[in-house]
Amino acid sequence: MIVVDARDLVKSYGRTKILKNMTFSIEENTITGVVGRNGAGKTTLLKIIAGYLRETSGQIQVFSRRPFNNLFVSANSIFIDDQISLPDSLTLNEILETAGSFYKNWNHHLAKGLLDYFSLRPDQYHRNLSKGMKSTFHMILGLASRSPLTIFDEPTSGMDAAIRKDFYRALLKDYLAHPRTILLSSHHLQEIEDLLENVLLIDDGKALLHISADDLKKWAIGLKGKRETIERCVKNREILHEQELGFDLVYTVVRNDFPEDELARMMSWGVEVSPVSSSDTCVYLTKKRKGGIDDVFRRSETV
């Protein structure tokens, strides 16, 4: 079953297009990472999916319904970010109890257990929490809701490394026990890639890649060797990244679509072939310039 289906989705503010004809679909009971640089359009997209924003044109269906201002979508989804608005007059425990009356799959035992584990007092007020503690409480809301569509937009903002690790472990354990569709936006791709089944890479308002996490790990390849040899290997290919390693020695990243015999031939020429991490692949794909930092200095010296 497809939970989220977008076709030529556009969101504009005046003459500025934030989302540009995005087309993709999200399957039921999967964890999808929504990744991209700041300003790429991740939050706008997630808010449209959650029904917080209206699309400008194109189509967006969530549970086969248009999400904007839709009660069914609201009752079956939760959107968690660091700007979530919660009542100042309620304690953390009262917020959890109120949430339990709205979300049909709510698990109060899980919420209370996580509240205790992360040392949050039930009688505390949300407004008095630090940034990191607020993010932790928001995470508890998202997990305990067990909503069929759970959206986390940069949920670990302000958390230290240990708490982020616990959050990801809690998310995975609860997902395995109670599968649902989870969208997870994060700048820490290297921390979450083992959680993900799919990755939606957004760049400048466009869906640049939407592939399985396993395929992303194999999408790019690094080639290291003498410049002349590397240039012969990557002729007529788009170079994602290039770095000078010394006199006449370079490291180049390109798409990994080489046949096995061609890879073997390159290695016989003295080329070192290495995998490229998912995080680095996303960074290289979304760079405005395909060269490395060395190019900046090289250009500055020729001016």
Side-chain angles (χ1 to χ4, degrees), residues 23-24 46 49-50 67 84 105 122 141 150 155 177 193 199 222 226 229 244 258 296 299:
T23 297
F24 65 91
L46 295 177
I49 292 172
I84 188 170
N105 297 328
L141 279 176
T150 301
E193 61 180 317
V199 174
K226 291 185 177 181
T229 305
E244 293 182 352
F258 294 94
V296 177
R299 285 191 297 270

Side-chain angles (χ1 to χ4, degrees), residues 42-53 79 81 153:
K42 302 188 302 297
T43 295
T44 299
L45 172 63
L46 295 177
K47 286 186 174 181
I48 289 175
I49 292 172
Y52 288 20
L53 296 176
F79 178 84
D81 69 352
D153 185 19

Side-chain angles (χ1 to χ4, degrees), residues 69-88:
N69 207 24
N70 187 290
L71 185 58
F72 181 87
V73 173
S74 295
N76 286 277
S77 62
I78 189 168
F79 178 84
I80 299 293
D81 69 352
D82 62 356
Q83 301 298 318
I84 188 170
S85 179
L86 296 171
D88 289 339

Side-chain angles (χ1 to χ4, degrees), residues 127-146:
R127 66 175 181 272
N128 296 330
L129 299 179
S130 68
K131 181 177 177 62
M133 293 172 69
K134 283 181 179 178
S135 292
T136 302
F137 182 70
H138 301 162
M139 171 269 291
I140 292 171
L141 279 176
L143 289 180
S145 75
R146 289 182 175 163

